[in-house]
Amino acid sequence: MGEMVEEDWERLVYQLRSGHCTPFVGAGASLSVLPSGRELSERLAEKYDYPGPDSTELPRVAQYAAMKYGDLDHVKYLVRDELMKDDPVPDFKDENEPHAMLASFDLPVYLTTNYDDFIVQALAARRKTARAAVCPWSETITPDPLFGDTAGWNPAPASPLVYHLHGAMRDPATFVLAEDDYMVFLRNLVIERTTGNSRMFPPSILAALTTRPLLFVGYSLQDWSFRALFQEMGRSIPGISRRRHVSIQLSPTRGTSGWTVRDLELLLAWYYREWQISVFWGGTKEFFTELRNRMGATP
């Protein structure tokens, strides 16, 4: 764990230009049109009279709403409606818009924990025929038949694969949203590790995770759900932590916390001690502006 240096930029530019990189896209990439998890949680907490002090914790608030209605899937549909009520679409003509910038590279696989399909839309704007699939993290989700044909087994830059780890808007029942969902996701990830099963991570997804470095976009490395997911993935998927990855991390000087960059570096170094991650301290806009400057006008 360390701040990005010149060699990190050189390596990342080479990897993106050669297609030897796997973007891992989180909620921060969609903040131009969608609320953050914290904002969404506060809206739901107010709407459903959440009584706890931790109204910014979306999994906990969603769990409470599920208890109130007696139906977690119903809550997921309500969340989908809340997210889509203004028909949000990023400006893919903006050269520094995260999805548009990522879609400009010749990459075969994109991984995301977002429900939205903005990556697919951005790829379509680049005249690429993307295929999207949802991770069967629950026994109630049928594995996508896409992985039974060439498109799923051997995705290509012209026809890339977008893999939704935490569900997709087209089927809110697939959302990893409440505390129970995260527990099921992690439990089944552990089961796959102990049994050698590859239901959640088909071969093409495993290859994207283990043979190419990852570019984390739109995540807070401090977030507990991110930490739980990637610490377990590090244990469950051999080779994933051996490559040098890059993460964009919001600098604490931009927020209201008392943490310094040095404080967070020490904390994150402990959290991700089994990983090799170079950190860019700043937002996604600053990162992609810097990346475009280093790559020139055309990626």
Side-chain angles (χ1 to χ4, degrees), residues 2 19 22 38 40-41 49 52 55 63 86 131-132 138 151 167 194-197 218 228-229 250 260 283 290:
T22 299
R38 174 185 291 264
L40 178 60
S41 182
D49 299 319
S55 60
Q63 190 73 37
D86 296 323
R131 302 284 297 273
S138 167
T194 57
T195 62
N197 189 11
L229 171 62
L250 184 64
T260 67
E290 178 67 18

Side-chain angles (χ1 to χ4, degrees), residues 189-190 192-193 231-238:
L189 195 55
V190 172
E192 291 217 352
R193 169 161 55 94
Q231 286 176 354
E232 183 53 46
M233 285 177 61
R235 290 188 287 265
S236 301
I237 303 175

Side-chain angles (χ1 to χ4, degrees), residues 27-92:
S30 304
L31 289 181
S32 64
V33 292
L34 291 179
S36 67
R38 174 185 291 264
E39 292 168 339
L40 178 60
S41 182
E42 290 177 331
R43 289 185 196 178
L44 296 178
E46 181 177 3
K47 189 172 184 178
Y48 303 123
D49 299 319
Y50 178 69
D54 46 359
S55 60
T56 60
E57 297 295 331
L58 181 57
R60 189 159 297 174
V61 172
Q63 190 73 37
Y64 172 80
M67 179 191 69
K68 188 172 183 177
Y69 283 105
D71 186 344
L72 178 53
D73 279 357
H74 176 64
V75 175
K76 293 180 181 182
Y77 275 85
L78 294 177
V79 168
R80 189 275 310 273
D81 293 346
E82 179 69 23
L83 290 172
M84 299 303 292
K85 66 180 181 181
D86 296 323
D87 195 22
V89 178
D91 181 9
F92 298 127

Side-chain angles (χ1 to χ4, degrees), residues 48-217:
Y48 303 123
D49 299 319
Y50 178 69
D54 46 359
S55 60
T56 60
E57 297 295 331
L58 181 57
R60 189 159 297 174
V61 172
Q63 190 73 37
Y64 172 80
M67 179 191 69
K68 188 172 183 177
Y69 283 105
D71 186 344
L72 178 53
D73 279 357
H74 176 64
V75 175
K76 293 180 181 182
Y77 275 85
L78 294 177
V79 168
R80 189 275 310 273
D81 293 346
E82 179 69 23
L83 290 172
M84 299 303 292
K85 66 180 181 181
D86 296 323
D87 195 22
V89 178
D91 181 9
F92 298 127
K93 294 181 181 179
D94 180 353
E95 62 182 15
N96 292 324
E97 198 283 321
H99 305 91
M101 185 71 172
L102 291 172
S104 69
F105 302 115
D106 290 330
L107 306 173
V109 174
Y110 296 78
L111 302 175
T112 181
T113 50
N114 294 347
Y115 310 140
D116 64 67
D117 67 345
F118 296 154
I119 301 176
V120 173
Q121 293 185 47
L123 289 164
R126 287 276 179 168
R127 301 183 184 277
K128 297 178 182 180
T129 307
R131 302 284 297 273
V134 173
C135 172
W137 59 269
S138 167
E139 292 79 3
T140 62
I141 302 174
T142 303
D144 199 300
L146 171 67
F147 295 101
D149 61 29
T150 302
W153 275 88
N154 189 29
S159 54
L161 173 60
V162 178
Y163 198 58
H164 290 267
L165 279 174
H166 284 177
M169 288 287 193
R170 65 176 183 266
D171 184 3
T174 64
F175 288 1
V176 176
L177 176 66
E179 290 177 325
D180 282 354
D181 296 323
Y182 283 95
M183 291 175 66
V184 171
F185 187 102
L186 293 173
R187 181 197 69 199
N188 286 332
L189 195 55
V190 172
I191 290 174
E192 291 217 352
R193 169 161 55 94
T194 57
T195 62
N197 189 11
S198 59
R199 186 175 187 272
M200 292 176 64
F201 295 97
S204 57
I205 302 303
L206 279 175
L209 287 167
T210 58
T211 65
R212 305 181 197 114
L214 305 176
L215 172 59
F216 298 113
V217 179

